Amino acid sequence: MASTSINKIRLSRTSTPRSKGGCITCKNRRLKCDEGKPACIRCIKTNLVCAGYVPPNKLHRQDDRGSLRLRVLKPKASRPSPQLQITASSLRFMAPSSIYLGESEIDNRYFRHFQQTAAMGLDGAWGWYLWNQVMLQNSHQESFIWHSIIAIGALLKSYDTAYAMGLHPHSVIVPEKAKLHQDFAMLKYDKAVKLLQKAVCGGTANPRQALFGCIFIVSFEMLVGNRHLAIKHAQSGILMLQEWRAQKFALEKTQPPLLSPAPLTVEDEIVEAIQNLDIQITTLMDDRSLAHHAEMMNDYCITIETLPATFASIREAQIYLNLVVRRICHFIAMAQSSSESIALTKKFDSERPGQISSITSMDIYSTPYFKVTEAVRTQQVQFATEIANWMRAFAPLFEKLCAKREDEEAPFNCAYNAAAMMQMQAIATTILTAGIVIRNEMEYDMFNPQFRALVDLAIVVVKLRQQRKKENTWAGSFWIDIGITPQLFVVVTRCRDPVIRRRAIKLLEGWYIESSWDPRLIAQIGLFIIEVEEESVVDIDCVGGNEVIIPEAARAVFSRISEDSGKGWVLMQCVLKNGGVDGGPVWKEKFIKW
């Protein structure tokens, strides 16, 4: 009897109170909850909406474990379908947190670095809301976005470290501390790409995840200097967006909206970012077909006709400028093929120092050579009218912002900064559009007031940036929209006023990398063209007292470049279209190391 009693005691199970603090979702699924807040980790990992917790005062339980407990019976919740989960993920927005559940403190540090140093320092006219709101909020729902942000934050930290030691971010010499940040960035980038591939392979008709991934991949590859790979990914994103928009329009058969045809599925900011990547490609080496350029040139043609007489806000002006500039860029790219501008280039006589080679006659900055067809002249008038109408509608708003900036004591005005960059892009686009029908380089002298305005606006933007820049930090950027460097490139290559051009070069020498645009390289191109054009001119007045006119035969057109930004090598080529004894072209080359 005694042994039997002892055995019963040993075999009896110790009773412990059961936790009633789990979330409602885990309770309904009859699973153990970790009780994480604001959402438990189990719900986050299974991509379910955590329904929260029942307040303690509503839990009906008596202290005596043997007593009966009152329990409210609830219907068992069915698990949402995968399609409903995706829709909920697309529509759910939460305030960004400094800690992402399940990640390490190292990840959180790089995330905060991105948030504080990178995203908060964006001065682009289009990028602020995309990076500070849309990306940060969606990083808590899409793991590949979270890891992409960490990768960019770590890479920017690496560049900050190298810059503080006096080294260029793309230098072949990488300090040990900077290399640690860089290696971590590469690991996170690799993980982000794998997670993106897994997410995209889900096979939904919603391209939102793929477009998000495209933006991050292009931004990262631009930062590390892989320009050609970034362009390929950007082209894929553009085609994906184009196909999705075409499907939406075919189903709804309505007038195309300004941005996204379904903002609840793909946000306006994502569509705008991809469209800005489209503009970026046309400023670089664009190898897309004429049929593609023709299709994009006619895109939004109905929408442009509804351009208001006066813009009510900066945002409205931004959207219409993006549409007008994008159409004009595709028009210029298509028109160059019929003008035989490729005849202005030839192979280098010297050996190329780098792997990156670009023929500038294949982008929108090229110059027509032999002929301009009547069809091109007619289209040029149409697009010149479009950009002129935009500037006319923007003028009252821009003047109002200028007056407000002079009255305020605040050192930085975000709205005026964005407006100044938009005005620069509109002026440069006006010059490029006019250049389609210009065959005599002397005709660019009529745009000297516009060139001067570009430099004056650039000085304002540079001063505003210097006020915000922290000491000993790299001021580079992963912009996906056009900055001030491409606009100053128009000045250094087409303005022959010695004062204006040298002011632009001085600004470029103190500016920072904007996506794939290195201002140091553009400054070297400007100095090269000055050297060629002013070779036979005596007593150049760089103060502005005497006017210097460079004859047509001495005017150079930039034609080809091969460069290695990491080693600081560049081989440049320009051509004097009428510089030969017989009036034919003469090419000049120069190799420099800076």
Side-chain angles (χ1 to χ4, degrees):
M1 292 292 293
S3 61
T4 305
S5 176
I6 293 174
N7 290 336
K8 288 183 178 180
I9 294 174
R10 288 177 180 176
L11 294 175
S12 64
R13 182 176 178 180
T14 303
S15 178
T16 58
R18 296 177 59 190
S19 172
K20 294 298 180 181
C23 74
I24 296 175
T25 304
C26 289
K27 284 182 177 181
N28 291 333
R29 298 177 65 207
R30 299 177 180 272
L31 295 175
K32 184 178 179 180
C33 180
D34 58 276
E35 300 184 17
K37 296 181 179 180
C40 69
I41 296 178
R42 182 179 294 277
C43 289
I44 292 174
K45 288 185 176 181
T46 55
N47 199 23
L48 294 176
V49 177
C50 188
Y53 303 87
V54 178
N57 58 354
K58 293 188 178 181
L59 290 175
H60 298 282
R61 182 178 61 88
Q62 296 184 6
D63 294 336
D64 187 1
R65 292 193 300 269
S67 303
L68 293 176
R69 295 189 294 267
L70 298 177
R71 180 181 179 187
V72 179
L73 296 178
K74 296 181 180 180
K76 184 176 180 180
S78 60
R79 184 172 181 176
S81 65
Q83 186 63 37
L84 291 177
Q85 292 180 34
I86 295 171
T87 305
S89 175
S90 301
L91 300 178
R92 188 158 44 117
F93 289 90
M94 298 190 307
S97 170
S98 60
I99 299 227
Y100 185 79
L101 296 176
E103 297 300 331
S104 66
E105 179 58 28
I106 297 177
D107 293 345
N108 295 323
R109 289 179 183 177
Y110 287 122
F111 185 90
R112 291 193 294 268
H113 182 75
F114 173 91
Q115 190 175 8
Q116 297 169 4
T117 304
M120 295 301 178
L122 286 173
D123 296 329
W126 293 272
W128 191 92
Y129 186 80
L130 173 70
W131 295 103
N132 283 273
Q133 297 290 330
V134 178
M135 294 298 188
L136 295 183
Q137 288 175 343
N138 282 275
S139 67
H140 293 268
Q141 281 84 45
E142 302 290 353
S143 57
F144 74 88
I145 297 180
W146 166 262
H147 290 287
S148 298
I149 288 178
I150 295 174
I152 293 178
L155 190 60
L156 291 171
K157 185 65 176 178
S158 172
Y159 289 166
D160 279 343
T161 305
Y163 182 85
M165 297 181 180
L167 294 174
H168 188 267
H170 293 164
S171 174
V172 293
I173 303 174
V174 182
E176 186 64 27
K177 290 183 178 180
K179 192 174 187 304
L180 292 175
H181 298 300
Q182 188 181 70
D183 292 343
F184 189 82
M186 294 301 175
L187 289 174
K188 282 294 177 180
Y189 179 62
D190 180 67
K191 187 172 183 178
V193 172
K194 291 179 179 178
L195 289 172
L196 172 62
Q197 292 174 342
K198 184 178 179 180
V200 172
C201 289
T204 65
N206 182 356
R208 182 173 182 268
Q209 291 177 321
L211 293 177
F212 262 129
C214 172
I215 294 172
F216 275 111
I217 290 175
V218 171
S219 301
F220 191 90
E221 296 295 347
M222 285 289 190
L223 268 178
V224 298
N226 295 334
R227 182 193 308 166
H228 289 277
L229 183 59
I231 290 176
K232 293 299 181 184
H233 283 289
Q235 290 175 346
S236 299
I238 293 166
L239 290 176
M240 190 185 312
L241 177 62
Q242 183 180 353
E243 292 175 358
W244 177 72
R245 289 180 68 245
Q247 291 175 359
K248 284 292 181 180
F249 297 152
L251 293 174
E252 299 177 4
K253 297 181 180 180
T254 58
Q255 181 177 343
L258 289 177
L259 292 173
S260 175
L264 294 180
T265 303
V266 178
E267 294 90 331
D268 287 341
E269 289 75 21
I270 299 178
V271 174
E272 195 170 16
I274 298 297
Q275 290 177 348
N276 282 314
L277 287 179
D278 192 10
I279 297 175
Q280 278 274 17
I281 293 176
T282 60
T283 66
L284 303 171
M285 188 173 178
D286 193 352
D287 58 354
R288 291 176 289 183
S289 65
L290 294 179
H292 175 82
H293 288 304
E295 183 178 358
M296 293 295 99
M297 181 185 70
N298 295 318
D299 198 14
Y300 290 101
C301 59
I302 300 177
T303 305
I304 296 300
E305 295 176 359
T306 63
L307 190 144
T310 303
F311 293 121
S313 64
I314 286 286
R315 178 60 177 160
E316 185 182 35
Q318 288 174 356
I319 294 174
Y320 276 100
L321 177 63
N322 186 24
L323 300 180
V324 172
V325 171
R326 182 166 171 257
R327 280 163 46 82
I328 290 177
C329 287
H330 283 288
F331 159 67
I332 295 176
M334 190 180 70
Q336 295 299 349
S337 62
S338 62
S339 67
E340 302 182 15
S341 58
I342 192 68
L344 293 177
T345 65
K346 74 180 188 70
K347 293 183 178 180
F348 286 112
D349 295 330
S350 307
E351 183 179 354
R352 293 186 301 165
Q355 299 297 324
I356 301 176
S357 181
S358 175
I359 305 174
T360 60
S361 62
M362 295 179 67
D363 59 42
I364 65 172
Y365 299 104
S366 55
T367 300
Y369 184 34
F370 287 118
K371 60 183 180 180
V372 178
T373 64
E374 288 301 320
V376 169
R377 291 184 183 276
T378 301
Q379 291 174 325
Q380 188 272 340
V381 172
Q382 173 190 346
F383 287 107
T385 303
E386 285 187 10
I387 191 63
N389 290 340
W390 184 92
M391 296 188 69
R392 191 179 302 109
F394 185 62
L397 182 59
F398 185 63
E399 293 173 0
K400 181 179 179 180
L401 290 171
C402 292
K404 185 177 180 181
R405 176 177 175 268
E406 294 176 357
D407 295 338
E408 291 181 350
E409 297 180 358
F412 181 79
N413 188 318
C414 184
Y416 179 75
N417 181 67
M421 296 181 67
M422 292 162 60
Q423 184 77 353
M424 286 187 65
Q425 187 172 14
I427 294 174
T429 303
T430 300
I431 298 172
L432 292 173
T433 306
I436 285 296
V437 295
I438 291 179
R439 294 185 58 190
N440 189 325
E441 294 294 310
M442 298 284 290
E443 296 182 37
Y444 281 108
D445 292 348
M446 72 175 71
F447 292 103
N448 280 344
Q450 284 83 357
F451 291 130
R452 187 176 295 107
L454 280 174
V455 175
D456 291 340
L457 288 169
I459 291 174
V460 172
V461 174
V462 170
K463 288 182 178 179
L464 290 172
R465 178 70 182 191
Q466 290 174 346
Q467 292 173 359
R468 304 187 71 195
K469 180 180 177 295
K470 298 179 181 179
E471 294 294 332
N472 296 325
T473 58
W474 180 63
S477 172
F478 50 92
W479 283 359
I480 55 177
D481 55 298
I482 302 297
I484 70 171
T485 305
Q487 326 305 349
L488 294 179
F489 179 66
V490 176
V491 177
V492 300
T493 55
R494 304 202 181 187
C495 175
R496 271 73 181 196
D497 184 288
V499 178
I500 298 175
R501 186 150 62 176
R502 284 171 171 81
R503 287 175 64 201
I505 292 174
K506 185 177 180 180
L507 288 173
L508 288 167
E509 290 174 340
W511 195 233
Y512 61 90
I513 298 175
E514 297 172 337
S515 188
S516 60
W517 285 86
D518 190 338
R520 304 177 309 156
L521 177 60
I522 305 303
Q524 292 297 327
I525 292 174
L527 293 173
F528 170 51
I529 295 178
I530 287 177
E531 179 183 334
V532 172
E533 292 186 338
E534 299 179 0
E535 182 179 6
S536 59
V537 180
V538 184
D539 297 330
I540 296 293
D541 184 7
C542 297
V543 180
N546 299 321
E547 183 179 4
V548 177
I549 299 178
I550 299 175
E552 171 67 18
R555 299 201 173 195
V557 175
F558 191 64
S559 55
R560 188 186 286 263
I561 183 173
S562 176
E563 51 99 7
D564 188 328
S565 59
K567 297 180 180 178
W569 294 347
V570 60
L571 178 61
M572 299 176 289
Q573 179 193 92
C574 68
V575 57
L576 306 173
K577 293 193 295 184
N578 305 309
V581 178
D582 58 349
V586 175
W587 285 269
K588 302 283 186 178
E589 292 182 8
K590 185 176 183 179
F591 171 79
I592 61 171
K593 188 178 188 305
W594 80 93

